[in-house]
Every structure is written in structure tokens, then in C-alpha cells.
Amino acid sequence: MATFLHRIGRFAFRRRWLVVLLWTIVLGALGAGAAHSTGPANSGISLPGTESQRAFDLLEDKFPAANAEGASARVVIRAPESQRIGGPDHRAAVETILKDLKASSSHVSLVSDPFSAEAVSPDGATAYTQVTYTVASTDLTDADHAGLDKALEKGRDEGLTVEASGNALSPPSESHSAEAIGFALAAVIMFLTFGSLIAAGLPLVTAVVGVGVSITAITALGATFHLNSSTSALASMLGIAVGIDYALFIVSRYRSERAEGRDAEEAAARATGTAGSAVVFAGVTVVIALAGLAVVDLPILTAMGLAAAGAVVVAVLVAVTLVPALLGFAGERVLGRRGAAPRPSRAAKGEATIGRRWISYVLRRPVRVLVVAVVALAALALPATQLKLGLPDDGSKAASSTQRKAYDILSASFGPGFNGPLTVTVDDPAPAAARDAATGIGASIADLPGVARVSPAAFNRAGDTAIINVIPKSGPSSDATKELVADIRSLAHDNNSATGARTMVTGTTALNIDISDKFSAAVMPYLALVVGLAFLVLILVFRSVLVPIKAALGFLLSVLAALGSLVAVFQWGWFKDLVGLEQSGPIMSLMPILLVGIVFGLAMDYQVFLVTRMREAYVRGADARTAIETGFRHSAKVVTAAALIMISVFAGFIGSQEPMIKSLGFGLAVAVALDAFVVRMTIVPAALALLGKRAWALPAWIDRVLPDVDIEGEKLREKVPPEEVPAHVAA
């Protein structure tokens, strides 16, 4: 591996104009494709194989008109306190609002009358109307959104409370400030690390190219592969982070090679051969973790994982080709002041530094350090035992948003369960049997204690399929509603056995329950697959069994601590003002498994970068303790910079208006901080010190089977005759 990448680095350095031209052509071609594509869509979540999805598919087939893809909005109108919305003073105002809504856009097909549709609350104070459009929400223009907003505002001018929800409302504006903040902080960190604007700017340039290629590819292919709108955000987040880090490690190794007296071309080739090997294997572990999300069998998650894995592959390719090419253009300027070779660092000269003092302390007291670190992470992980999953709805939006206000008004006026209705479907090839089964199950559901109201069964034209709407007494995310869904499904099973008709429960609440169950069932197979494959990769890299085991256990600690932090902040609301969170609530159902996948890949990054230098020292003759000190001394500074950069990039996304992106950015930032500084820089050296030489042991039969990937670059040392090695390097 090192020899192959050494040749790639030398070629890229010598043919730098060609390499830059090729990447420019790739970026331009994808950009042209993206310009002619509709891009990622706001596709819904589908759950193949679940009851709620089967019911959705049935409704789409049997009630095509009711399942049209047109946008919709539900406008809630409430009279002032102690007044009735149907009174003579307000009824005329409501009719004016309905007319304004009808005229707000040429795409409006229907505006329901709340009085004739019985959409008035029992106390008479609140009414709602359903606005239906002829086009999908993605086809609505700014003028359509403005017309709806204007109609709402005119209703408020009449002295009424008018709020709205639905996908016809204008989406919240998203800026690119998150990326800008991450880039700015990364630039500052790298300048402080390298002391050179060129060296600091080079990883940023390559990261921009890598992310540009990834995002344009996702945009160009978004409509073809039905990618979700969150896909590009995740790919951008990861692409920036790993793109900067991978380039950072190669540039750092290049400067070290130059400090040892090698010329620019050989230094770039060796940096690509050694640090590039670590980059490749680190990237492989990230790709395994992201591609492994496919085992959940959730199309949206599979698409997000594969797209993000593609962004990581692009980042690796950019690091091992474009970075050495740009090093050729930068020349001596990448080395700092006036192009002088970097002087030996304080650590290299044996002087006391923060990193040197820290590793000395860890190696003197490995048991104490290990116990304290593990206990601290376990304490942070405790809130994860109270993890509550859910899908975001209007109840989780900011209290100042019109969607949240509409949600609260409907809940107060019609009951908590109004915002989370359940849909029961009954179908049978024989219309008479379907009618009898629907009547029976409707009566049984109405007798359940958690049911507030059951609507009469509505049949399709063929009469073989019925819809029964059920309003629970409890809110959509409450445990009582979950129990009610289980009770209805139990009744449905009995009804199916007695009548032969098929009865199913669906709706957003039922879908949420099925998602949670699906994720719970998929976590262990996913962990087994990802950890197992990555374990094989790490055995290949480190030629050890204990080191990969220790790496996996450390990852579990860091990811559980990150989940605990997520629960404390986003579910319990601790310190929520610090992250700009207006409303706490259940954790997004996708979050745990998505966090596990991404954090595992990133954790293995630091494991590879840090421990590779330790193994490099060990295979070159150092004893186990000296190998730990040497590897830590060489890589601690750059790993620290890389971790701070990743934390900065992820933390920048906490400012997103999208709850999923905000919580994911927070979770990843916390996970990287804990994994890099507590696990990799504390627990790992302490555990290696306790294991001693056993850490690097490998059974002979495994050693014979494994190929020699030479990640330490031993074959590169053999290529240079001893007389050509500078004296201080040989020493």
C-alpha cells in the first residue's frame, strides 16, 4: 500500500497541472449536470415490510384521489377569549379569510368550509379549514407562499387568531453560515498548528473541491435516485470534516519529511505513502460504517449513508492525488517563514510540552487514568437509558412558529390526540364482508378507554376498502397512544381471524412507532456487521487482535456518552438555550443509528492516525512503552488539530433551523470531542501501557493469512540506500 501510494504521490507532484485539470473537468461536468437537475427532494419516509407502510400502499391504490401529491395547509382560526367563532361578528370575517385563501394562489383547488365540514371545536371558539393545492409543495413559488402569508395576516387584522400548518407553508430559510463558521475556525486552528497561511489554506482548498464534487453529484443524481433533502447536508458535513482532516495529516507528514532533509518531491511522495495509507484505511472504516446503514432497510437512511460514504471516498481520492499536486505548486512556502524548513519541535528536541507531560502522566498511572476516564464517560451515558425516540412534528417546532401555534390551538380546542390521528384500514374482496368487518372493528375500537372519537367508516367506490379515523385521548408522542396502537392492532388481529378481512393501522403516529421498533431491531445486527468488518480492517492495519478490540470498546463508550448528552440537552432541555433550541422533545428516530454509524467511522480515523505511529515505532525496534511515547509525540498535535477542526465543523451545524441537522451536529461534535480526547488520547495509551507487548501480538496462523499492507512504510525505507539518508535521519 505504501509503495503504491508513494508512486501516486510522486506522479501527482510531477504532473500537478494534469491532476488539477482532471479534477477541474470532473467538478465542471458534475456542476453542469447539477444545473439541469431538480436536485434532492423532500421525499417522505417509507418503511418496507411494516404494517403502517402496507396500509399506506393500500390507501394509495384504493383511494388515489385522497392520496394525491398536491400540497396542503391547515389554517386554524380562533375567536378572542370567551367568544364564539360562529357568532355574527366573526362568521363574516371567517368567510373573508376563506375567500382570501382561495385567491391566494392559482394552484389552490379547494378551501373547505369549517362550518359545513363540522370543523368547529366543541366550545365553539376554534375552527379550521383545509387548503388543497393542485401541485406538489416543491412546485409552489415564492408568490404562492407570500399569498398564503398575506391571507393569514389579513385574518389577524380582523382581530382573530389565525395560524397554519402543512407543507404548503414556505420552508424555513437555510443559510450556509454553518459551513462558513466551520471553515473559519478550521483555518484558525490550522494556522496555529502550522504557522503558515499556505499550509493552513491548502487543506481548506482541497476540502472545498471534495465537497463541491460530492454535492454537485448528489444534486445531479438527486431526482434519479430519490435522494432526501437532508442527504446533501449530511454529505457536506462529513465531506468538510474528513476532507480537511485527511489533507491535514498528509501536509503535516510532508513538513516532517522536509524537516528530516528530503527534497520536496520525495517528501510529498513519502507523505502520500505513509500518511496516505492511514488516510485510505481510515476512509475505509468510515465507508463501512456509512454503507452499513443499509442493513436497517430504510430507503431514506440507505440513501443518506451511501451518499455520505461517496463523499468520504471523494475526500480520500482528493487527499492522495490533489494534495501532493498542490504541494508541488506551493513549493517552499508551505514550510512557513521565508520557505525555511521547519525547525525541530520542542517535542522532537525532548523538551517538556503539554502532550509530552500528559502522556508521561498517563503512562505513570495507567490504572487510575483508565478508571477515571471510563467512569466519567459512563456518567455522561446515564441519560441515554431514558432515550425516547420520535419523528419531528409541529409540536417539536419553535414556540414562535405559526406551525407550533396552530398545533397548540388544535390540541387545546379538540384534544391532545387531534394532532396525531390514527387511520384504520379494512379491506376484503367481497364488499359485503368488508362492510361487516368495518362496522365490527369500529365498534370495538370505540369501546377502548384511550379513544376520544371514532369516525364512521368511509368506503371507496368499489366498496371493498374502508377508512376509519380514530382520535386518541392522548398526544401523538405519549406512551398511552403507543399502548392504544398496540390494543387496536390486537383487535385487528382478532377481527381478521373472525371475518377474514384484513385490518391495519397506519398514520403518522403508527408510522413513528414502527420506525422506533424497526430501529431497535436493527441496532444489534448493524453493530455486529460494522464492528465485525472494521475489526477485520483494523487487524490488517495493526496486525494485532487486542488493539481492534480496544478500539471498538472505546467507541461504544464515546457513542453512549454522546447519546446521553443528546438526551440531556434535546430531550430534557438542559442548557438548551446555549444551542439555540426553543423546544425540547423526543430524539429523532433516525438519530441513534445514524450517530452510531458516523461516530464509529470517525472514531476509527483517530485510532488509525494515532496508533499507526505507535506501531510504526514498535516495528522499528522500540519497546512497548517507548513506542507509545514516540507515537503520541509525533501525532498528538496533529490529531488534536484534526479533532478541533471536526468539532468546529460539526458545531457549526448546531445553528441549523432543521432539528435533525441541529441535533446531529451537536451529537457529532460531542462524540468527536469525547472520542478524540478522552478515548483515543487517554484510554488508548493507558490500555496499551497495561497490555505492554501483548497489545501487538498476533497469532501465527492469522499472520500467515493476512497480506502485508505495509502501512508503516517499511518498504519505502528499504528503497533508499543507507548512504543517501541524511545523518540526523539515520540517527
Side-chain angles (χ1 to χ4, degrees), residues 245-464:
D245 275 9
Y246 293 167
L248 173 67
F249 278 96
I250 293 178
V251 172
S252 177
R253 189 60 181 253
Y254 171 81
R255 284 163 57 93
S256 298
E257 296 291 340
R258 291 301 308 276
E260 293 180 354
R262 294 186 176 89
D263 61 67
E265 181 178 317
E266 180 62 19
R270 283 178 174 265
T272 307
T274 52
S277 296
V279 164
V280 169
F281 281 103
V284 167
T285 60
V286 180
V287 169
I288 288 173
L290 293 171
L293 292 171
V295 303
V296 182
D297 193 26
L298 185 63
I300 179 178
L301 193 59
T302 300
M304 291 174 67
L306 293 178
V312 174
V313 171
V314 171
V316 171
L317 294 175
V318 167
V320 299
T321 57
L322 188 58
V323 170
L326 294 184
L327 287 172
F329 285 112
E332 305 298 311
R333 290 170 295 178
V334 78
L335 304 179
R337 299 181 183 87
R338 300 180 182 179
R343 291 175 293 182
S345 64
R346 292 173 57 196
K349 293 186 292 186
E351 298 179 12
T353 62
I354 295 177
R356 192 180 185 89
R357 287 195 294 267
W358 174 248
I359 193 61
S360 297
Y361 176 80
V362 171
L363 295 180
R364 285 198 310 270
R365 299 175 177 83
V367 175
R368 179 188 301 178
V369 168
L370 193 62
V371 170
V372 171
V374 170
V375 169
L377 290 177
L380 286 175
L382 281 177
T385 59
Q386 304 298 318
L387 177 66
K388 188 175 183 180
L389 301 178
L391 285 176
D393 57 15
D394 290 339
S396 62
K397 292 186 180 295
S400 58
S401 65
T402 185
Q403 294 95 328
R404 173 62 188 280
K405 292 176 181 178
Y407 181 96
D408 291 342
I409 292 173
L410 290 173
S411 180
S413 301
F414 294 90
F418 187 83
N419 287 297
L422 304 174
T423 302
V424 179
T425 64
V426 182
D427 69 298
D428 192 286
R435 188 169 298 277
D436 292 341
T439 302
I441 192 68
S444 299
I445 293 174
D447 291 335
L448 293 175
V451 173
R453 183 163 59 89
V454 177
S455 67
F459 287 83
N460 63 342
R461 288 187 177 182
D464 59 356

Side-chain angles (χ1 to χ4, degrees), residues 424-645:
V424 179
T425 64
V426 182
D427 69 298
D428 192 286
R435 188 169 298 277
D436 292 341
T439 302
I441 192 68
S444 299
I445 293 174
D447 291 335
L448 293 175
V451 173
R453 183 163 59 89
V454 177
S455 67
F459 287 83
N460 63 342
R461 288 187 177 182
D464 59 356
T465 305
I467 297 177
I468 302 173
N469 290 316
V470 180
I471 305 298
K473 291 181 179 178
S474 51
S477 59
S478 70
D479 293 334
T481 302
K482 184 176 182 179
E483 293 174 2
L484 176 62
V485 171
D487 291 340
I488 295 176
R489 284 178 169 168
S490 178
L491 288 176
H493 181 269
D494 296 339
N495 190 61
N496 295 348
S497 301
T499 65
R502 182 176 57 167
T503 305
M504 297 180 289
V505 182
T506 187
T508 302
T509 302
L511 181 68
N512 185 18
I513 294 170
D514 287 344
I515 285 179
S516 299
D517 292 343
K518 194 174 184 69
F519 281 137
S520 299
V523 167
M524 292 311 297
Y526 173 69
L527 278 175
L529 173 68
V530 171
V531 174
L533 291 176
F535 180 78
L536 296 177
V537 172
L538 293 179
I539 287 181
L540 185 64
V541 173
F542 299 122
R543 308 194 78 79
S544 164
V545 175
L546 294 178
V547 170
I549 292 175
K550 173 187 56 59
L553 293 177
F555 150 73
L556 290 175
L557 282 173
S558 58
V559 77
L560 287 175
L563 279 174
S565 301
L566 265 175
V567 170
V569 176
F570 285 82
Q571 183 176 312
W572 294 351
W574 293 4
F575 311 110
K576 66 177 183 178
D577 294 338
L578 295 179
V579 298
L581 180 67
E582 292 192 36
Q583 178 64 34
S584 59
I587 303 300
M588 175 74 172
S589 295
L590 297 174
M591 188 60 55
I593 202 162
L594 196 59
L595 189 67
V596 165
I598 297 173
V599 172
F600 182 82
L602 299 180
M604 295 307 103
D605 273 4
Y606 297 120
Q607 177 74 16
V608 171
F609 291 138
L610 186 64
V611 182
T612 295
R613 293 302 292 263
M614 296 178 183
R615 173 169 171 77
E616 186 176 334
Y618 182 78
V619 299
R620 292 180 179 178
D623 61 74
R625 180 187 177 94
T626 304
I628 297 172
E629 291 179 330
T630 303
F632 194 90
R633 187 174 69 247
H634 279 293
S635 52
K637 182 178 180 181
V638 71
V639 168
T640 298
L644 291 175
I645 288 169

Side-chain angles (χ1 to χ4, degrees), residues 216-239:
T216 52
I218 290 172
T219 304
L221 301 174
T224 303
F225 292 99
H226 306 289
L227 299 179
N228 186 268
S229 57
S230 299
T231 303
S232 57
L234 178 61
S236 174
M237 184 188 300
L238 278 178

